[in-house]
Amino acid sequence: MSERALRGTRLGATSYETDRGIDLAPRQTVEYACQNGHRFEVPFSVEAEIPVVWECRFCGQEAALLDGEEPEEKKTKPTRTHWDMLMERRTREELEEVLAERLAVLRSGGMNLAIHPRDSRKSA
């Protein structure tokens, strides 16, 4: 192109190519519907794997494929509590033994919880 043809245009902003003579890839349209009753179509390549769910264009909720199978439930791990993790590391007998040791230390006065180390310095 001559310089005159480019005068007054933004380079890169518009394409001067046309779609003439170009064969587009074969496509198929698939219909989805959300729980709010919105129905819409999405074009996919014939070779593409069609997703079972798609985000609704109108409300953003999850839309299901019409005439398709139900989406598989994702396997989730059961919630592990502190107690569950503790029981993975120790047996109940070991925990009873540790508890007895700690109670013996507390009862013997080896660990005085009533007096804080900082407080004992102030009174001295």
Side-chain angles (χ1 to χ4, degrees), residues 63-82:
L65 177 66
L66 286 181
D67 302 328
E69 61 207 37
E70 289 292 317
E72 294 180 14
E73 289 281 331
K74 293 182 180 177
K75 293 182 181 179
T76 57
K77 293 181 180 178
T79 306
R80 288 176 39 197
T81 63
H82 177 71

Side-chain angles (χ1 to χ4, degrees), residues 25-30 42-50:
R27 297 172 189 236
Q28 61 179 330
T29 44
V30 179
V42 180
F44 287 101
S45 169
V46 174
E47 301 168 355
E49 185 177 325
I50 307 300

Side-chain angles (χ1 to χ4, degrees), residues 3-49:
E3 288 184 23
R4 286 184 166 182
L6 296 178
R7 189 180 309 158
T9 63
R10 297 182 307 264
L11 289 176
T14 20
S15 173
Y16 293 105
E17 293 184 18
T18 62
D19 291 338
R20 278 185 278 151
I22 296 176
D23 292 330
L24 298 175
R27 297 172 189 236
Q28 61 179 330
T29 44
V30 179
E31 192 172 10
Y32 289 92
C34 75
Q35 292 178 348
N36 292 337
H38 301 128
R39 295 180 103 163
F40 57 95
E41 292 182 344
V42 180
F44 287 101
S45 169
V46 174
E47 301 168 355
E49 185 177 325

Side-chain angles (χ1 to χ4, degrees), residues 85-120:
M85 291 184 271
L86 184 64
M87 293 306 288
E88 289 174 6
R89 294 190 308 268
R90 297 185 187 246
T91 63
R92 196 163 188 85
E93 292 78 27
E94 290 174 331
L95 292 173
E96 292 288 341
E97 187 179 319
V98 170
L99 177 63
E101 289 174 8
R102 295 287 96 203
L103 287 174
V105 169
L106 285 173
R107 289 182 181 136
S108 70
M111 192 175 185
N112 193 349
L113 297 177
I115 302 174
H116 195 273
R118 292 184 199 154
D119 295 337
S120 63

